[in-house]
Amino acid sequence: MSEPTITPDLMRISWGPQHPMSGQTRILLDVDGEKVHKIIADLGFTHRGIEKILENRSFLQGIVPIERMVMIDTANIGLGYVMAIEESLGIEVPERAHWIRSLVCELSRISSHLYAFGLQAESTGYFPAVFLWTTTDRTVLLDLMEELTGARFSYNFFLPGGVMKDLTEGFEDRVIEGVQYLRKRFEDYWTAMIENIVFEARCNDVAVLKPEDAIRLGATGPVLRGSGISIDVRKDEPYAAYGDLDFEVITESACDSMARTKVRYREIGQSLNMMEQVANEIPGGPIRTRFPLFTRSKPGEVYSRVETGRGEMGIHMFTAVGMNPYRVKINSPTLRNMYVFERLCELDEMLMADVPVVINSIDPWYLDSDR
Amino acid sequence: MSEAELVEAITTSHAEQIESAEVLRSQRVSVVVKREVFLEVAEALRDEYGFKTPSAAGGLDYPKEERMQMIYYLFNPDSKITLTLRVDLPRDDPTLPTLTGVWEAMSFHEREAHEMFGIEFEGHPNMIPLLMPPDWRGGYPLRKDFKGEAGEE
Amino acid sequence: MAEESCELKRSLDWVPGSGAVYSVVDYVAGWARKYSIWPIHLVTGCCGPEFMQTSGVQYDMERLGILPFASVRQCDCIMVVGVVSRKMALRVKYLYEQMGEPKYVVSVGACPTGRGPFYDSYAAVPVDEYVPVDVYIPGCPPRPEAIIQGMMILQEKIKNTKRIGVKSE
């Protein structure tokens, strides 16, 4: 990349792409001593051209590559694509399938937030143990998912018109067991991590993002809600069973890295509540309507939005007469939040040591931003 | 402000500048603008209609009709409406004034549209490749006539 | 390098029992190196979560002596976890060249092996076009058991090394 010029008296540090705290991106930091003056994100290290691939696959085949966008949060991503297909082809979804979808999505969201949590703990340099805790606790979710869908991470579970399988016998009880176990664990997370003095010192008042800046720069997901703005697609535009489920949109008013972490922590609590509600109140009935294997679409367009673990994801699907989508535009949350990250050092004073904390507080997943 | 009211307000106040405005479904509004007055409408949308959050931007290629479309996704945090602001471009001259002056965060998305579709953005402050490798010589991947891989001219 | 160590052995051939000493030293060293693989922390794609679970508590790769590490200069193995794009492939090659001998490459998942579900992508490349690969682990994503089995195959390979610093064929 032809790099932008550097101001004299600053030193440019290249960070990544194999550094464990930067993930699969390269960050150029212009620093003066410890103070960061400018951040340039060099994305694209995991670019696979998913938008082009989807143009060459049939509607059903497209579910596989698109779930590889965010491996740790596959259900939410897959649901966005499946909802776009359903809307453009006019397929009805039975009530029970909606509830199962919500259950799987919440499982997936907890898994995603746990990842953010573990890395945030590790980036403060003090808690590798918390990262290992998150992998342990994720096995509870993975076992549930494996029982239901047959896969640990890439479920391919949602089909246009419903879901692939019904809940296994006694699955509801195991969900409630898992929820109770996780609730107990999350009390430990609060005392061991969030109330810890070191963690507070590293996260409080770091990278403050004021609400008006968050809106102006297009932040989304927990980053936006951490700045005190209550925007959540699940509430604004209920899909799946979120219209019937009882939950609140979590916001924090502190606007710093700690607020964003706390938003994730409290959202996990809401997700656990929702899982319990689904397990207790799930209605009966069929789980899918028939979806023909070979479908011809009519010209048109659909824009579907879902709330993934990282924020709002939009899928804009254009169809022509044929078996494939004409074009699929994926509006990924990480790309939006990465722009916020680039600007954060200008909005608030940031030191070199804060960079891992800040970058993990926005919870990037570069496979998502690079597509 | 509901979707229908929004479309009516835009069509009456900017009748000269837009080509069409319609409600796609609830919370989805589409506005097609003329290329010459594109920036004025964008500023009006931000200041008068409250579309303060930029969501994304991307292109669309219609080789048969010899045109391309640039689509900007805007979001209104108060009424929760997603508006797609579209500009039609001729395929042989896809140039457009940059929107980074109105919404700063469109920078990333315009860089992406530039390398994926070859759309030129006049006045963009930092037009370097976003996703593709710097030595990519394979053309514009998301155009419909793209075939083959890197290295092939 | 292979020739050099043969040279050394030939020059010491006149010492009685030198062959036995060599084989004992090789055995012990091979056994020790088998249990101290340090793969670099290089997650290039979407098999990352499974890699994380494998190094996590339940499967615990560290009990086999496999500890993911951050700096390439202290590592002797690259685990290429997930799809490798054109931009990243160059970085994998740089990292491979920075690493000290003996060095090994493990390709985890279908994507670095043969592009997997992105078989028609213009940006993804198979990793063995850039670096030599020792073990391929199939799966999309591979289960932790598969990753551990792949690493055990690599351990066997390291153990069977005839001369220190020389890869067995």
Side-chain angles (χ1 to χ4, degrees), chain C residues 18-31:
Chain C
S18 69
V21 170
Y22 262 92
S23 59
V24 169
V25 169
D26 280 353
Y27 180 81
V28 173
W31 174 84

Side-chain angles (χ1 to χ4, degrees), chain A residues 33-325:
Chain A
E34 271 286 290
K35 194 175 178 309
V36 180
H37 281 257
K38 195 177 180 192
I39 298 176
I40 304 162
D42 180 11
L43 299 165
F45 282 96
T46 53
H47 177 65
R48 294 146 292 171
I50 286 189
E51 291 178 4
K52 189 74 180 178
I53 290 174
L54 290 177
E55 289 175 14
N56 300 327
R57 306 281 172 92
S58 75
F59 289 106
L60 270 182
Q61 284 173 332
I63 298 172
V64 176
I66 206 165
E67 284 204 341
R68 266 70 184 165
M69 255 177 61
V70 185
M71 201 51 153
I72 204 145
D73 193 11
T74 46
N76 286 305
I77 307 284
L79 183 59
Y81 184 68
V82 167
M83 273 164 48
I85 298 174
E86 278 161 2
E87 203 181 318
S88 71
L89 301 178
I91 301 167
E92 290 292 315
V93 183
E95 185 68 19
R96 187 176 170 83
H98 276 318
W99 284 71
I100 298 179
R101 281 180 178 185
S102 286
L103 175 64
V104 177
C105 281
E106 290 314 311
L107 275 164
S108 169
R109 191 185 317 279
I110 296 176
S111 170
S112 161
H113 280 349
L114 273 177
Y115 169 80
F117 233 64
L119 272 196
Q120 180 74 334
E122 202 159 280
S123 68
T124 52
Y126 186 57
F127 315 89
V130 174
F131 186 74
L132 292 179
W133 284 7
T134 62
T135 61
T136 322
D137 291 341
R138 195 178 295 112
T139 53
V140 177
L141 307 168
L142 294 181
D143 289 347
L144 283 175
M145 289 320 300
E146 200 175 354
E147 181 183 339
L148 181 60
T149 68
R152 287 159 59 87
F153 279 106
S154 53
Y155 314 135
N156 303 333
F157 184 62
F158 300 145
L159 296 176
V163 294
M164 204 183 301
K165 283 185 220 149
D166 206 344
L167 301 184
T168 48
E169 210 183 317
F171 188 76
E172 292 94 331
D173 302 334
R174 282 187 287 282
V175 167
I176 289 176
E177 253 172 52
V179 166
Q180 280 164 354
Y181 168 76
L182 287 174
R183 277 224 181 93
K184 212 184 292 167
R185 291 287 296 162
F186 278 110
E187 287 169 15
D188 294 349
Y189 278 69
W190 184 268
T191 42
M193 187 175 149
I194 292 183
E195 279 189 342
N196 189 301
I197 295 173
V198 178
F199 193 78
E200 280 183 348
R202 292 294 305 269
C203 291
N204 273 344
D205 295 325
V206 169
V208 175
L209 179 69
K210 295 197 186 73
E212 60 272 16
D213 289 327
I215 288 212
R216 180 172 61 86
L217 297 174
T220 181
V223 181
L224 186 60
R225 293 196 283 276
S227 295
I229 296 159
S230 157
I231 290 181
D232 190 321
V233 184
R234 290 175 291 172
K235 209 63 162 181
D236 303 340
E237 198 184 316
Y239 56 93
Y242 290 116
D244 301 326
L245 291 171
D246 181 30
F247 69 104
E248 54 178 299
V249 180
I250 305 290
T251 52
E252 287 276 340
S253 52
C255 307
D256 53 4
S257 298
M258 186 59 132
R260 298 192 268 277
T261 311
K262 277 186 184 165
V263 164
R264 289 198 189 91
Y265 180 86
R266 290 172 56 204
E267 273 187 11
I268 292 177
Q270 293 295 322
S271 295
L272 291 174
N273 287 348
M274 272 189 265
M275 278 165 62
E276 215 168 41
Q277 281 176 47
V278 173
N280 288 329
E281 299 165 22
I282 186 164
I287 54 158
R288 65 164 176 258
T289 49
R290 194 178 151 274
F291 178 75
L293 194 55
F294 299 104
T295 322
R296 291 188 81 78
S297 57
K298 297 189 197 74
E301 62 171 282
V302 168
Y303 186 57
S304 78
R305 293 163 69 213
V306 282
E307 182 76 25
T308 71
R310 279 156 191 79
E312 174 201 330
M313 191 181 78
I315 293 202
H316 202 172
M317 186 189 277
F318 295 85
T319 47
V321 179
M323 317 263 258
N324 307 346

Side-chain angles (χ1 to χ4, degrees), chain C residues 56-75:
Chain C
V57 174
Q58 196 185 14
Y59 291 94
D60 193 11
M61 260 191 336
E62 212 177 322
R63 74 200 146 101
L64 300 172
I66 300 164
L67 174 70
F69 201 71
S71 165
V72 73
R73 319 242 171 201
Q74 283 126 319
C75 294

